[in-house]
Amino acid sequence: MSTTQNGTDLQLQSAFQDGNWPAAMRLAQQRARTFNDQYFEIVKICAESQLDDPHAKFAAVAAVDRFVKEGTVVKDVDGIDLLEWATVELVSEEAFSETFGVLRVRAVKAAPRDKVAATRCLQSCLLHWDLNGAQQIAAIIDRSFSQDRDFMFWNIVITHMLALYAMLAQKQIERAAQLTEQAHASQAADGTPARGVKSEQEILLLYDIVETHGTAEDLCKLVNSPVFSPVAQFRMGRKELFQRMAAKYKRSQQWTALCDLCHDCLSETGQDGGLTLLACDWSVWRHFLEAAAHLKSSDEGVIPKVQDLLVKVAQAKSLKPIYKRNIILAKLSAAFTLEANDQDDVDNDNKPSSARLQELLLYVEEQKTSIACFSDIKEFAEKLDASGLKHLAYVYVPELAKTCEDSATSARVHLLSLKLRYLLTTCPVSRTQVAGRIPASKCVVCNSVFESASCHACLAKISSAALEAYKSATDEFTDDATVQGEVLPELALAVALCNMQMAFCARPGYYTAETECLKREFLVRALLVLEHQVFLTPKHSQICLVLVQLHLFLGSAHACREIWQELGVKRTIVDSLAPIFYDRLSTVAPVILDSSDDWGWDMAETLRGHFANSLLMRMPRRLIDAFEAGSYGSIIDMPRYTNNLRFGCTRAVSLVEEVRADRLLGEPCDEFLNDDRFVEVSDDIDLRDAVDYGSFPSWGSSASVPLYERLRLGPGIS
């Protein structure tokens, strides 16, 4: 409930706060006569609108309409706030710009030097997404407080978003950029001018505006600027602009420009003439190598350029482990992307023969203790031929585990070996076709013939080895928190993933009835192993997410609910993770969403409440925080984010599952026709799918069907 101004009149304020509307009306009318103050007249109108009389309820709406039509200036911003409060359910969001937006612009024009009132009006216009009103107010504030550079950029970013005045925004920010460049050229002692472009967010805004409204020549001029170029910013430690331009060059396939940009960034030297730590940035090397791979057939000098730079960086002294890892990862990537692959990875003596396999083995030797080693090498291991990947998984890494100095390191390397073996079983190179009446394959590892997607004999051996390692590690490392928290959960996952892979027997590209292609006993085994592990590590997100899908697939929804609540999926991650649990939940167990039950109501309210709170206004209040923090990138992205949230599949799922559960349980379910989640979605809107499966274990080949797809109840949402 809104309140009157603090300290204006304690008696009136008390009556208003207590909801004693007749008394509040009487007192406000008396004060209006005594002081001839417009504010008290508004208080009376707002109090009247709270009466039970249906006619009186529209008193505030009528007052707003009268003020707008008669050109009345409501100077007191608190009065406008009261009118907004009194009409919150009577004036639609779409009508804001023609009602309260007009009143707020008039109020700011009447008192342009009142900073507090002006910024409050600006915030209200932004939250209701009245860009026209917000732009007018921002321009007034900028003129009134020209010494405050933040207001200038507020004005620019709002003008930029209001496409009607796009060229104005470009001229404003280019003028600010010009002031900064002039100060830089003259080497002014006082640094950046007050109304110049200075921070990283301001520079990103500059690029946003020029890319959106400027010409190709304008952007080229900016990219070559001694102050605002991606290279100059990268050397200052500001890397987001580089990432943005690199992505732009990739989209437009400007590989030469991308290659030159990366080389310039990585070639930065320090005062001693040596390369700086900026040359160890893996994200830059990744772009550099991708560009070089596209240019190597047309530019003979690009490969020596990459190799020379790699040698220089590798020779740098006293590199920290994280930087050293980036460099050897870059060398590994170069071996796979730039060098010709015209020989087998393993020779006739079962020894590594290709340069790429040798580099991969060197990387594993160096990074064997890192928990991220498998994810680092997975994309490269998949590119090996069958002999190379088999040597890596079954020969080199197991031998490496035996030579480790301590048992904890050996356990980590053994886990890496199991992951690589699992990867091999899911790779197409692990099998050769066998002619026959029924399509079958022969395993390159154990020579077994099988009709499923992967070799069950190999999967069974991997599962058995992982289970044995799990038992051994459980007994041996009872006091080692690192092994207990990192190695044991992944060993449990190794057992579970192998069993889940064996549960699905369908051969890719061939239709098989579900009763023939699904062996549920393997799923139950996986479930039991993971349930045991989640009891020990209840916060392990990967295991919890797999268990959620497994329980739903097998119909044990109540156990699934307990694990889901343990995950604590709330707020910003609801949109991307909630469908993993809620999608088709009413089909499996509608009682989980029973609105008459406290548990069920809470499960449904988690989604319903999230969207109701996030979409209460046209824009979230975080937009104001972004303005105050000068985070202009967030300001520009927030309307898109809010629109995606409003018209996303997750929001639709929240309504569908809730209504279906009520219908299946015999509860009334007609009210959904008036629900915003239904009303706001028209037939021509394409709902956005934001489900993120990135937190699931990704051990299989990129050519195989992810297990989360197989465990999903039906097709993905769309």
Side-chain angles (χ1 to χ4, degrees), residues 156 169-177 197 202 205-206 209:
I156 290 173
Q170 184 179 350
K171 289 180 180 178
Q172 287 174 326
I173 201 162
E174 284 182 342
R175 173 57 182 163
V197 177
E202 292 165 2
L205 176 61
L206 170 63
I209 293 175

Side-chain angles (χ1 to χ4, degrees), residues 24-41:
M25 287 176 59
R26 186 181 68 256
L27 291 169
Q29 190 171 19
Q30 291 174 359
R31 304 304 185 270
R33 290 174 185 162
T34 303
F35 300 107
N36 193 26
D37 191 335
Q38 183 190 47
Y39 173 75
F40 291 109
E41 179 187 345

Side-chain angles (χ1 to χ4, degrees), residues 364-375 377 393 397-402 404-421 469-470 472-473 476-477 480-491 494 540 699:
V364 172
E365 165 66 26
E366 183 69 31
Q367 298 292 312
K368 60 181 180 291
T369 59
S370 171
I371 197 68
C373 183
F374 176 74
S375 58
I377 66 172
V397 178
E399 288 296 327
L400 196 61
K402 295 177 183 178
C404 292
E405 297 178 355
D406 59 89
S407 53
T409 303
S410 178
R412 286 183 179 276
V413 179
H414 184 55
L415 172 62
L416 175 62
S417 171
L418 294 172
K419 288 183 177 182
L420 289 168
R421 294 180 198 180
Y470 184 89
S472 175
E476 186 175 356
F477 302 106
D480 192 325
T482 303
V483 173
Q484 292 285 332
E486 294 180 359
V487 177
L488 282 182
E490 300 231 324
L491 286 172
H540 197 283
W699 295 9

Side-chain angles (χ1 to χ4, degrees), residues 23 26 39 59 92 119 164 207 211 315 327 330 365 402 430 443 512 553 614 706 712:
R26 186 181 68 256
Y39 173 75
S92 67
T119 52
L164 185 63
Y207 270 81
E211 281 188 72
Q315 291 174 346
I327 298 308
E365 165 66 26
K402 295 177 183 178
S430 68
C443 178
T512 311
F553 192 86
S614 299
R712 196 164 51 200

